[in-house]
Amino acid sequence: MKNKLLMLLTVFITLFSATIVKAEDKVVKIASDSTYAPFEFQDANKKYVGIDVDLMQKISEMNGWQLDQSFPGFQAALDQLNAGQTDGVIAGMSITDERKKVFDFSDSYYASSVVIASKKGNKISTYNQLKGKSVGVKNGTASQDFLSKNKAKYGYTIKTYDEGSQLYESLKVGTVDAIMDDEPVLRYAINQGQDFEINMSGEKIGDYGFAVKKGTHADLITGFNKALKELRNNGGYDAILNKYIKTETEKDIKPVKSDYRIVSDSLFAPFEFQNSSKKYVGIDVDLMQAIAKNQKFNITMDFVGFQTAIDQTQASHADGMIAGMSITDERKKVFDFSDPYFTANATIAVKSTTTNIKSYKDLKGKTVGVKNGTASQTFLDKNKDKYGYSVKVFDAADTMYESLNTGSIDAFMDDEPVVKYAILQGKKFATPLEPEKIGEYGFAVKKGTNPELLAMFNAGLAKLKANGEYDTIVEKYMGNTDSDDNKVDESTMIGIIKNNWQQLAKGLGYTLSLTIVSFILALIIGVIFGLFSVSPSKFLKGFTRVYVDLVRGVPLMVLAIFIFYGIPNLIESITGHSSPLNDYVAGVIALTLNASAYIAEIVRGGVNSVPIGQMEASRSLGISYVKTMRRVILPQAVKITIPSLVNQFIISLKDTTIISAIGLIELLQTGKIIVARNFQSFKVYGLIALIYLVVILSLTIFARRLERNMK
Amino acid sequence: MAKLKIDITDLHKSFGSNEVLKGITTRFNEGDVVCIIGPSGSGKSTFLRTLNGLEEITSGTVIVDGYDLTNTKTNLNQVRQEVGMVFQQFNLFPNMTVLENITYAPLELKKMSKDEAHTKALDLLKKVGLSDKADAMPESLSGGQKQRVAIARALAMDPDLMLFDEPTSALDPEMVGDVLEVMQELAKEGMTMLIVTHEMGFARKVANRVIFTDGGEILEDNTPDQVFENPQHPRLKDFLNKVLNV
């Protein structure tokens, strides 16, 4: 008995110490495929090299592992892993659900794709160009699957080969017009001197991952992921990739501007939104920044709202826009689009407690909400008669979500990532139906402008997709890994204020500054026009009449938009130079014009309310018109007009909310941005209303005091 | 022969298609105190207001103190400095004190220094019996006081002649006397005065000429005695019957 105990103890101690030794100087056995260029293959010196080999060596070095690499072949490597003879496998292995049952995978270290290549000079950049042509492919590959599936759609014929060398030869001699193969393999071949070129982005077929046996060696996965991330950040990853694969980015695309202004939506989570530390993040944001970094150009991103972004890009206020924008034929008329960077699905969402909606047919007689101007709306309108639902259109997501909660709609349709993100943020929605593919998102520039920017975006996107960074970004916002927003509790009023007061103060600052600056200018202009309108000169009277009627006859929002977009457009069409206008300046001009027209009327009313006898009495003494105005009429008129002027000031302050239409982030727009992040529309908008109320009430009280004092 | 102050020939005045003055020809000499009487709407006020250019002249000639008012080159402001006017509604400036009302024109037109204007204003206030009201605001005065300040304001410019447009019509009856007294005093000093009024007693006592207008024409122009004792025109007779035998 004692012996047995002792033995157990010895075993325990041995095991324990062994673990310690392992951690100190760990030998890690890794198996790979025998030949899978460019991931692993023997070079001229019979030495194994390749992306997998180099990457694993680098990562081991960083983790302090002692690497023991073997190259038994793909199937053998997996067998060894299952048998526990090797610790991990890196072999250009796709991460699949099947494999996940028996292996634990690292993050994707390579996004594998298949792509079309042609002979140099025969540029093929769209699948449509393949119509009537023959395309070669290797038997039993993912490329073959893809080509077969899309054969009818694009009208090409397929020629199948058993060997890669045959495939390449037939392209060389012209038996086939194009070939499709694994992108890294093709690029490596080009790198090795094959006279081919690739002018399209690839079709993604899978992610490559490093694998360990399920439930073991969690430290290897963690260490691999950590080191991989570091390599991506410090460029070590790209260096390895570039060694084996010549990518398009080597074609020198040089930025022509020192800084590109990229505009985006202000509230389209998870593509762009402010996180709890007020920084704009999202798929678009991270992607754009990663691409800029990758392609070595500088960007400034402004989050002005979707429509505003479109308008600004069209007005050349911005060089490009990325805003979860679907690529449509309509938009192609005015924009040049990049390769699609995201495939958008739209999905029907219902309350999580709703159980009776399982197909589109169940929507019969129900009301379905949708945001105005979206692809979802187009889809819903098209299928309205088929399924017998009615459509209710909303301008903003938050009001639509609220309507679902309150039951005024039974379901809504929105972009899948947006709905997913909302659910992730705690909204109690469910998505019982299969999502509908509604389009592809693209980065856009104004048609015919900034071609280098578009080229850099495409090149960068291809590279990010290839090195897996793209997936990391997308998963960050659509997976369950996003913990950023859990840091601060924004479900209480105090939490909202605590976390946003600086932003709100800034918004209020803009609101007040807009109001005050425009009101002072309007006062000057308005008084001048007001005096014109009571002057004896018919010309001045008529001139003022026209000014007041014109300005008052145009709604303020139209005026603001006209000034901000219309005027620069006009100047551009005359001078040929783009002359963007600052949004603040445009806002001040619009508010000034608007208020000055009303102030002119107030002044006219004030002067006219001074009895005519006052003018006559002064004139009968021999005093001139101007002096009479200044000394007798105006002092009396001012007294009369003060309440109206204070009233106009309050109206101007309220009118600043309209300026949010051109993307200026004043108080209301600040609120919208916050709501887009935390979905607390009642509390946030309540708070915004309260702030306006306090400011305006204090003004009113001040005005009353002033009036009393003047009496 | 007394000096000619105002020379009016065939004066017409229309407001749109409505002809208010239908050809008036008359003359006023220095020192004349003329009362203009007539029913409401007879054009008396309009007539008075053409004499300092408050109303534009439609046709005819009006020469005041040597200035031809129908000549566009004439500086009306110059004329007005020499022609004082007192209104039915006083038209004091409510944003100025009594003193400021009086010194306003002399100071604006730089006719006097501040001290001079001040002294003169106090003199005038004394003359109209309101020495104690120099620093009062117009709104605190009674109607009669207001009108006396208005007279002082007109006199501050040392006018050659004075126009009074129904100066007592807006006053409570007990205030009328004070104002008429000031005007009578002024007449005694030899001021040329044209007075549109309904105060027949005053007209009879103070004026040296009474003009009766009706329908935009002068129907009778005579001494007070003749006008009141021996009226010629039937409409004057009719008018006097109505006014005097209430």
Side-chain angles (χ1 to χ4, degrees), chain A residues 88 101 165 233 262 373 515 611:
Chain A
K101 286 175 190 160
S165 55
N233 287 336
I262 310 295
T515 313

Side-chain angles (χ1 to χ4, degrees), chain A residues 477-494:
Chain A
Y477 294 103
M478 293 177 62
N480 295 314
T481 50
D482 188 10
S483 58
D484 186 45
D485 279 64
N486 299 331
K487 277 195 303 196
V488 188
D489 180 18
E490 290 208 351
S491 64
T492 65
M493 201 62 161
I494 291 167

Side-chain angles (χ1 to χ4, degrees), chain B residues 6 87 89 91 166 202 204 210 235:
Chain B
I6 300 177
F87 300 86
Q89 296 297 340
N91 295 342
E166 303 198 31
F202 176 81
R204 201 163 177 173
V210 174
R235 272 194 267 173

Side-chain angles (χ1 to χ4, degrees), chain A residues 652-672:
Chain A
S652 281
L653 195 141
K654 290 184 183 182
D655 280 350
T656 56
T657 54
I658 293 172
I659 300 303
S660 65
I662 57 173
L664 187 68
I665 302 173
E666 39 66 75
L667 188 54
L668 176 61
Q669 186 79 355
T670 307
K672 283 188 193 167

Side-chain angles (χ1 to χ4, degrees), chain B residues 89-232:
Chain B
Q89 296 297 340
F90 334 126
N91 295 342
L92 293 185
F93 308 130
N95 54 322
M96 303 177 193
T97 63
V98 165
L99 194 78
E100 284 165 345
N101 262 278
I102 299 171
T103 57
Y104 162 69
L107 291 180
E108 271 309 313
L109 297 167
K110 300 194 171 61
K111 284 198 91 170
M112 299 172 200
S113 73
K114 209 171 171 186
D115 284 346
E116 257 181 294
H118 203 83
T119 315
K120 169 131 191 153
L122 289 175
D123 280 352
L124 286 168
L125 278 177
K126 198 173 165 194
K127 189 170 176 180
V128 300
L130 291 170
S131 296
D132 55 332
K133 297 289 184 187
D135 295 320
M137 293 306 281
E139 61 181 4
S140 68
L141 302 182
S142 71
Q145 291 171 329
K146 281 182 189 169
Q147 195 61 299
R148 282 184 279 158
V149 173
I151 293 170
R153 180 175 68 183
L155 291 174
M157 289 297 293
D158 286 325
D160 270 4
L161 66 115
M162 289 280 285
L163 307 174
F164 292 84
D165 187 3
E166 303 198 31
T168 57
S169 300
L171 296 180
D172 291 336
E174 75 268 22
M175 306 283 179
V176 172
D178 290 341
V179 174
L180 292 182
E181 208 175 290
V182 169
M183 290 168 66
Q184 198 176 341
E185 195 61 36
L186 211 52
K188 263 191 206 161
E189 288 169 14
M191 175 64 78
T192 312
M193 295 161 75
L194 301 190
I195 307 150
V196 171
T197 186
H198 293 290
E199 299 293 333
M200 298 305 155
F202 176 81
R204 201 163 177 173
K205 193 167 135 200
V206 182
N208 66 341
R209 236 173 109 185
V210 174
I211 291 177
F212 172 70
T213 63
D214 193 12
E217 292 168 298
I218 295 176
L219 298 183
E220 200 140 339
D221 181 355
N222 218 323
T223 61
D225 286 350
Q226 280 297 313
V227 168
F228 290 110
E229 301 298 330
N230 188 19
Q232 300 297 309

Side-chain angles (χ1 to χ4, degrees), chain A residues 611-625 627-628 630-633 635-636 711, chain B residues 49 52 54 77 80-81 83 85 87 90-96 104-105 108-110 153-154 157:
Chain A
I612 182 83
Q614 293 289 313
M615 173 61 79
E616 288 181 348
S618 178
R619 296 306 305 277
S620 76
L621 289 165
I623 311 284
S624 69
Y625 176 85
K627 271 188 185 159
T628 300
R630 213 184 58 219
R631 294 275 283 120
V632 176
I633 308 299
Q636 297 181 54
K711 276 176 190 161
Chain B
R49 289 158 61 88
N52 67 349
L54 281 185
N77 288 337
R80 285 167 182 159
Q81 289 177 34
V83 181
M85 186 158 192
F87 300 86
F90 334 126
N91 295 342
L92 293 185
F93 308 130
N95 54 322
M96 303 177 193
Y104 162 69
E108 271 309 313
L109 297 167
K110 300 194 171 61
R153 180 175 68 183
M157 289 297 293

Side-chain angles (χ1 to χ4, degrees), chain A residues 372-618:
Chain A
N372 198 10
T374 59
S376 298
Q377 191 187 17
T378 316
F379 176 85
L380 285 181
D381 284 343
K382 210 167 62 190
N383 294 292
K384 203 153 91 178
D385 296 334
K386 195 166 150 196
Y387 297 119
Y389 49 76
S390 55
V391 177
K392 191 167 179 202
V393 179
F394 294 88
D395 277 328
D398 47 345
T399 50
M400 186 164 76
Y401 295 171
E402 283 311 311
S403 301
L404 183 62
N405 279 335
T406 58
S408 67
I409 54 174
D410 304 295
F412 67 80
M413 190 171 200
D414 205 349
D415 293 2
E416 192 184 16
V418 178
V419 175
K420 273 190 175 171
Y421 182 76
I423 294 173
L424 206 65
Q425 292 299 302
K427 288 273 156 187
K428 297 203 165 39
F429 300 155
T431 52
L433 308 189
E434 276 293 301
E436 294 293 327
K437 184 177 165 175
I438 48 161
E440 291 175 314
Y441 291 169
F443 168 78
V445 296
K446 187 183 175 183
K447 202 169 180 64
T449 64
N450 301 319
E452 78 291 348
L453 182 59
L454 210 53
M456 289 190 293
F457 186 94
N458 284 338
L461 180 65
K463 210 154 171 203
L464 294 187
K465 275 189 171 166
N467 68 23
E469 205 175 327
Y470 173 84
D471 290 327
T472 313
I473 290 172
V474 172
E475 268 162 31
K476 183 169 156 198
Y477 294 103
M478 293 177 62
N480 295 314
T481 50
D482 188 10
S483 58
D484 186 45
D485 279 64
N486 299 331
K487 277 195 303 196
V488 188
D489 180 18
E490 290 208 351
S491 64
T492 65
M493 201 62 161
I494 291 167
I496 291 171
I497 295 173
K498 229 179 178 171
N499 206 30
N500 297 296
W501 69 269
Q502 282 168 312
Q503 203 177 0
L504 288 168
K506 203 174 156 197
L508 179 62
Y510 260 115
T511 291
L512 291 179
S513 143
L514 266 179
T515 313
I516 292 166
V517 172
S518 67
F519 194 77
I520 289 171
L521 294 173
L523 206 54
I524 296 167
I525 297 170
V527 167
I528 291 172
F529 274 115
L531 292 179
F532 282 1
S533 73
V534 293
S535 79
S537 157
K538 278 208 174 103
F539 171 76
L540 290 180
K541 268 185 180 166
F543 182 66
T544 306
R545 202 64 263 151
V546 170
Y547 175 81
V548 169
D549 285 351
L550 265 185
V551 175
R552 277 203 311 193
V554 180
L556 178 56
M557 193 187 280
V558 177
L559 196 63
I561 289 174
F562 174 75
I563 290 167
F564 190 52
Y565 301 118
I567 300 291
N569 181 255
L570 175 75
I571 295 173
E572 189 181 355
S573 68
I574 293 169
T575 64
H577 303 290
S578 64
S579 320
L581 202 60
N582 175 296
D583 53 3
Y584 181 83
V585 173
V588 166
I589 294 175
L591 286 168
T592 301
L593 284 175
N594 189 62
S596 67
Y598 288 98
I599 290 173
E601 286 295 278
I602 290 172
V603 170
R604 187 172 73 98
V607 170
N608 284 346
S609 69
V610 176
I612 182 83
Q614 293 289 313
M615 173 61 79
E616 288 181 348
S618 178

Side-chain angles (χ1 to χ4, degrees), chain A residues 99-112:
Chain A
R99 286 177 182 153
K100 272 186 187 167
K101 286 175 190 160
V102 285
F103 303 125
D104 284 335
F105 280 96
S106 69
D107 292 345
S108 157
Y109 68 86
Y110 191 86
S112 137

